[in-house]
Amino acid sequence: MRWGEQFRLAGANWRDRLIAALGAFFGIALTGFICSYVAGDAQSAILLAAPIGASAVLVFAIPSSPLAQPMAVILGNIVSASCGILSVRLFGHGALAAGVAVSLAIVGMTALRCLHAPGGGSALVPVVAGPEVAAHGFALALVPFGLNALLLVMIGFLFHRLSGHSYPHRAAPAPAAAAMTAADIDAALVEMGESFDVSREDLEALLASAERHAQARRRG
């Protein structure tokens, strides 16, 4: 196996990555411009919205990921930023507050079913940005975090209409020739004890399609 092959996302190709890069350009540029206008301060608005860059990677490069879906992006960023603000109020701006902020964000996003990896960055911003930023209180979770996330999702929706990707993602129905059931897949996931960045429905469709191709190959 060549170096890096084990880290390559399944199905990834240069065409899709270049399209993702173009989408991220428009998504971040437009989001930053609009939020800077709303905030009235270009530098502070872009600084506060920094974690949205990680959200853009998911929305434009992996639009089928459960972590990239609109509810995860919008609510995940809002919940995480709120957890960061709460942590600052309880523990100040030190390392303890940073750890508590990210931990609370993971619990909050999991409980609300809006797990979004960049939320960890959103939770840290109120802690590391200093008292001036934290002074905005919980309103900070809505502007710029919530506004940035909402704009990014809207741009992602429009962009993927043109790029041909499904966003919000809808899993393709599994082929009728599937030899396994959803219960079999659930049992296998429990047995492996790992979390995968793919929905159970997409995994079911992928395995069923692979089984169909394998049957065709065996028939010659």
Side-chain angles (χ1 to χ4, degrees):
M1 179 182 292
R2 293 184 298 174
W3 183 87
E5 282 295 315
Q6 68 270 39
F7 304 116
R8 186 171 67 87
L9 288 172
N13 58 65
W14 271 106
R15 177 185 177 275
D16 283 342
R17 290 298 165 260
L18 291 174
I19 290 175
L22 182 64
F25 167 75
F26 285 111
I28 292 298
L30 290 173
T31 298
F33 175 79
I34 295 172
C35 284
S36 298
Y37 177 79
V38 171
D41 183 350
Q43 292 184 341
S44 64
I46 292 175
L47 172 64
L48 291 174
I52 209 69
S55 297
V57 173
L58 292 174
V59 170
F60 293 102
I62 324 175
S64 63
S65 169
L67 305 183
Q69 300 316 297
M71 183 63 73
V73 178
I74 298 171
L75 193 56
N77 275 296
I78 293 175
V79 168
S80 298
S82 298
C83 289
I85 296 163
L86 177 62
S87 183
V88 167
R89 293 195 170 186
L90 294 175
F91 303 104
H93 291 275
L96 175 62
V100 170
V102 176
S103 298
L104 286 177
I106 292 174
V107 173
M109 288 188 291
T110 300
L112 294 174
R113 298 190 176 185
C114 59
L115 190 64
H116 184 60
S122 297
L124 283 177
V125 168
V127 179
V128 302
E132 296 81 6
V133 172
H136 291 278
F138 288 98
L140 193 69
L142 297 178
V143 179
F145 289 98
L147 179 59
N148 272 264
L150 176 62
L151 290 170
L152 189 72
V153 164
M154 292 173 63
I155 296 167
F157 175 82
L158 294 174
F159 181 81
H160 285 305
R161 297 279 79 75
L162 299 176
S163 71
H165 291 106
S166 170
Y167 188 80
H169 181 63
R170 301 276 191 295
M180 64 192 74
T181 67
D184 296 328
I185 296 174
D186 287 338
L189 290 171
V190 171
E191 181 180 356
M192 295 188 71
E194 298 285 350
S195 295
F196 298 92
D197 192 12
V198 60
S199 69
R200 204 279 306 279
E201 292 76 17
D202 280 327
L203 184 59
E204 181 180 2
L206 175 63
L207 293 175
S209 181
E211 175 64 23
R212 183 166 50 85
H213 283 288
Q215 290 175 358
R217 175 176 50 80
R218 288 193 292 269
R219 289 194 297 266

